[in-house]
Amino acid sequence: MIDEDGHFGERVAERYDHSTGTEFQQDVIEQTADLLAELAGGGRALELGIGTGRIALPLARRGVPVHGIDMSRAMVARIRAKPGGEGIGVSIGDFATTTVDTTEDGPFSLAYLVFNTIMNLTTQEAQVACFRNVAEHLSPGGCFVIETMVPELRKIPLGQNIVPFHTSPTGWAYTVYDTVTQDATCHYITIGEDGRGEAHTTPFRYVWPAELDLMAQLAGLRLRDRWDSWTRKPFTENSRQHVSVWEKPIS
């Protein structure tokens, strides 16, 4: 799991909620929270990599009790500073292995990972462990939801390994892929008002939909749905991302 100080410490936390990506648009947040609330079915939800509460807070406002797991105390501090944030319990730790005590309130009916967070686990072993950890927390019939990208390897020119994904007058970003190990690193360069540049990197491990299905099978879960997005648009060969739902069998 990525360490807090190296990748999700104070520097990232202080500007995270000011991101301009599609996932931060209010209509996308509302669609996400609506679908997750439906899948929760009146039960509790566990968010892995809860961050600053971008999804947890609107989900809680829909009446879903939410508990989170996150390694970054700096990110979690942002939840605490927001209205309703004190009502959300958070366990500090690696979401591949950290457990939440369900003795008093019972298991969760929903667990979820949004916005490519499964790839923050940078080994296949850790990703497999995450599925098994989730399965232990779910009630029979409960769902595990992952939103993540489809690896963009078709964008890589022959003989190269770099895919740029953001350019602007104040910064740019690109990903360096290793197609043998499925390791990748995102590089971000930001230009401040003083004209000085600042760079940071984030490692991840990209993972294919079929590979996720096998991880789910190893954890005793089975695929229920796969969509292109939170709108439930059908997933196709041209989809750049997917929202997948696995369920824990009732018997």
Side-chain angles (χ1 to χ4, degrees), residues 119-131:
M119 298 192 302
N120 287 349
L121 300 172
T122 56
T123 67
Q124 186 183 67
E125 291 80 6
Q127 291 171 348
V128 169
C130 175
F131 272 82

Side-chain angles (χ1 to χ4, degrees), residues 31 79 90 228 237:
Q31 289 171 350
I79 301 177
V90 180
D228 177 276
E237 64 178 7

Side-chain angles (χ1 to χ4, degrees), residues 30 68-69 84 103 154 159 194 208 213 216-217 222 238 242 248:
E30 296 302 319
I69 299 175
T103 303
R154 286 187 291 183
D194 60 0
W208 300 95
D213 289 343
Q217 182 179 338
R222 61 191 180 196
N238 295 316
H242 62 97
K248 184 173 182 175

